[in-house]
Amino acid sequence: MNKFAVVTLLALLVPTASMWADDVWVTDASGDINAGTNWVSGTAPFSGNAASDKGLLTQTSGTATSTSGLYLSGNTQYNQTGGSFNVTGGSLVVGRSSDYTNVSKLTIHGGTFTLQSQVDIGASGKGEVVFNGGDLTANYYFALGNQNAQAWGKFTQNGGTVVSTAGTGWITIGHSGTGIYVMNAGSATAGKIDLGTENGTNSNGSLYVYGGTMKSNNSLQIGVSGTGLVEVSSETVPTATMLDIAGNTSVGKGSSSIGTLNLKNHGTMRTSSLEIGNSGTGTLSIADNATLTVTKAILSATNTGSIGNVTQTGGTLSTTSNTVVGFAGTSQWTMKGGTLTTQTLYVGNAGDGTFNYEGGTLDITQLSIGNAVKSDFNNTTYSTGSGTMNIQNDANLTLSIPVSVGTVTGTTGTLNLKNGSLTTSKTLYVGTNSGAGSGTLNLTSGTLTSLSIVVSLTGNIFQSGGVVETSYLNLDHGKYTMTDGTLGSTSTSMSINGAFVIHKGTIQSSTFNVGNSGGSGSFTQYGGTVETSSYFCLANNDSGSVGHL
C-alpha cells in the first residue's frame, strides 16, 4: 500500500461533525435550539422542537430556548451541565418513539420549563430525565411510562421545583407501562399522585422519596389498577415533611391492584386518611425511626375482597381518629416494635382482622377485638366479621384502658395469650349477653392481669396454663374452663353465674359465690385445688339465686 492510500484511509477514519450525530452548544450562546449558529456543527439537531437519534447533545453554558416544547426520541441525549435551558411553551416528551432498544435522556442543570401541555417521560418508548435544578411547570399532566406496555420512563429529581398545573393537575407514575420517580432533593407539587393506573402486570409505578418534599393537594393512590410502590426513607433526620398528602392515601385501590408503602430510616409522611387495601391488596411497613402521621381514620382492608397487611418493627404511626384492622376485607397487622397511637383500636369489623402483638407501644384509648364501626368514607355500619389478637413471643402489653373481646352482637372476637403478658388497669370484657357472635380468651402461658374480668353469655375463657390475676371475676352467664395454671389470689372475689369447670390447676379467692345475687351458676371440679381465704357459697345474696356444685 502506498503512502497516498494510507493517508486517504486515515482521513476516512477521522470522525467529523457530519459523520457523528453528537453535537455541542456554542459556548455562551443564547438563543433558539433550532438555530444552527448556536451549535458547533453549524446545523441544528432539532427539527422544530424534536430530535430523534441525534446522539449526545452537550450544553455547558449559555442559554438554550424553545418556544414550542421539547421532544427527544431514539438515542438522543441532551446533557445540560451548565447555563440555562428555557422552554416557554408546548410539551416535554422524552422517549416518544417505538424504539425500545435506546433510552432518550435529558439532563437538566438549571432553567425554566413552563409547559402549556404535559410532561411525558417514556411516552411510547423509553425516556429518562435527571433534574438537578430549575423550575418545571406542567399545565396538564406529568406521566412516566405512559402509552403502552413497553413504555418506560424515569425521572430523578436532585433539586429544583416541579409543579403539575399549579397543584391542580396530577402526576401519573406507571400508566400503561413502567414509571419510576426518584426524589433526592427539591420540591414537587401536584393535585394528586397515582401509581400503576391501568389493569395488568405491565402497569407498574414506583416512587422513591429520599429527600426534599413531595406534596399532593388531594390524594395519593398506590396501585390504582396495576402495581404501585412508594418508599420514603432518609439517612438523616429530615427538616420538613418528605411526603405530604392533603387528602386520602389508598394503598391497593382497585380490585386487581397491588400497592406497597414502605417507610424506613428517618422517612416521614403525613396524610389525611389512610386505607391499606381499599379493594385490592395493600401492604404497609414501618421500620427504624420513620414517622407516619394520619389525621383521620386508618382502615386496613376497606372493602369486601380486599387484603390489607401491616408490619411495624419500629417508628411511629399515629392518628387522632380510630384504627380498624379488617374493616370489610381480610387484614393481618403485625407489631414488633415502634409506637402505634390511635383512639380505639378495632380488630375485625365486617371482615376478618388479625393483630399480632410481639412488641412495641400501643398508645390507645380502647381495644376492641371483634366489633362494628362506621366507615369515615361511606358511613355504613357492619357487624358480621371477626377479630383475633395474638400476644406472643414473650411480648408484654401494658394498657390503662378497657379491653373488649366479642362484645358486639354478630361479631366474633378471640384473644390468644401465649408466651407473653397482658396488663390492663381497667376491665376485660369477653362476649355479650345478646344476639349471635362470641368472645373467646385462650390463655396457654404467660400472665393476664386485669382490674376485673366479665364473661357474658357468649363468652368463653379457656385456661390451659399461665397466670390470671384479677380483683374480681364475674361469670355473667359465660363459661370458664381451666385445665391448668393459676387463677386469682387471696383478695380475688368470684361471682359464678355461668359455668366453671376445673380439671387441673389452682384457684385462689377471697370469696367464691356460685349463683350470686339472683343468678344461676354451676361449679364442676374434676381435679386441681380451690382455696378461699373467706368463704365458698352456693346461691348467695338473693332468694332467686341458684348454685350447683
Side-chain angles (χ1 to χ4, degrees), residues 438-499:
S438 66
T440 303
L441 167 63
N442 296 308
L443 177 61
T444 304
S445 58
T447 302
L448 170 63
T449 304
S450 178
L451 174 65
S452 58
I453 300 173
V454 178
V455 186
S456 299
L457 177 65
T458 63
N460 290 274
I461 293 181
F462 298 97
Q463 183 180 0
S464 58
V467 177
V468 176
E469 298 175 350
T470 183
S471 61
Y472 179 54
L473 172 64
N474 179 12
L475 282 192
D476 184 16
H477 301 89
K479 297 179 182 179
Y480 198 119
T481 302
M482 186 174 183
T483 58
D484 207 347
T486 301
L487 167 63
S489 67
T490 56
S491 60
T492 300
S493 296
M494 304 281 187
S495 177
I496 310 301
N497 286 327

Side-chain angles (χ1 to χ4, degrees), residues 1 45 74 121 216 226 269 314 331 399 426 428 440 478 495 523:
M1 182 179 293
I121 314 301
S216 169
M269 177 179 172
S331 176
L399 304 170
K426 302 296 184 180
L428 169 64
T440 303
S495 177
F523 183 82

Side-chain angles (χ1 to χ4, degrees), residues 184-466:
N184 297 313
S187 66
T189 304
K192 63 178 181 177
I193 303 172
D194 293 339
L195 294 92
T197 58
E198 291 291 312
N199 289 318
T201 58
N202 295 313
S203 178
N204 196 322
S206 301
L207 170 62
Y208 302 94
V209 183
Y210 296 142
T213 300
M214 175 163 280
K215 182 177 181 180
S216 169
N217 290 327
N218 189 359
S219 63
L220 168 63
Q221 299 184 117
I222 307 172
V224 178
S225 294
T227 301
L229 166 66
V230 172
E231 182 172 288
V232 185
S233 175
S234 175
E235 296 298 330
T236 59
V237 179
T239 58
T241 300
M242 298 172 64
L243 184 56
D244 189 1
I245 311 301
N248 180 48
T249 294
S250 182
V251 186
K253 177 70 174 179
S255 59
S256 60
S257 66
I258 299 174
T260 303
L261 173 60
N262 296 330
L263 288 92
K264 60 183 182 178
N265 296 317
H266 292 280
T268 62
M269 177 179 172
R270 180 176 61 189
T271 185
S272 175
S273 53
L274 175 63
E275 297 176 283
I276 306 132
N278 177 286
S279 294
T281 299
T283 301
L284 167 66
S285 68
I286 305 176
D288 307 316
N289 295 304
T291 302
L292 174 54
T293 304
V294 184
T295 305
K296 297 180 180 179
I298 300 174
L299 302 182
S300 183
T302 307
N303 294 300
T304 302
S306 63
I307 298 174
N309 296 313
V310 178
T311 300
Q312 184 175 7
T313 58
T316 301
L317 172 59
S318 63
T319 175
T320 56
S321 184
N322 300 319
T323 298
V324 185
V325 181
F327 185 82
T330 302
S331 176
Q332 180 163 289
W333 191 304
T334 300
M335 185 174 186
K336 298 182 179 181
T339 300
L340 171 61
T341 301
T342 183
Q343 292 185 19
T344 301
L345 173 60
Y346 295 100
V347 181
N349 195 53
D352 297 322
T354 300
F355 195 101
N356 299 314
Y357 179 80
E358 300 177 10
T361 301
L362 281 178
D363 182 8
I364 57 182
T365 60
Q366 184 174 345
L367 173 60
S368 182
I369 305 167
N371 211 299
V373 295
K374 289 184 177 181
S375 166
D376 283 3
F377 304 102
N378 54 30
N379 203 35
T380 301
T381 300
Y382 299 99
S383 58
T384 58
S386 64
T388 301
M389 184 169 189
N390 300 309
I391 301 176
Q392 56 196 21
N393 294 342
D394 297 318
N396 300 309
L397 177 58
T398 301
L399 304 170
S400 58
I401 57 171
V403 176
S404 301
V405 183
T407 59
V408 175
T409 300
T411 63
T412 300
T414 304
L415 173 59
N416 298 316
L417 182 59
K418 181 180 181 180
N419 295 331
S421 69
L422 169 62
T423 301
T424 176
S425 59
K426 302 296 184 180
T427 300
L428 169 64
Y429 299 93
V430 182
T432 179
N433 276 328
S434 61
S438 66
T440 303
L441 167 63
N442 296 308
L443 177 61
T444 304
S445 58
T447 302
L448 170 63
T449 304
S450 178
L451 174 65
S452 58
I453 300 173
V454 178
V455 186
S456 299
L457 177 65
T458 63
N460 290 274
I461 293 181
F462 298 97
Q463 183 180 0
S464 58

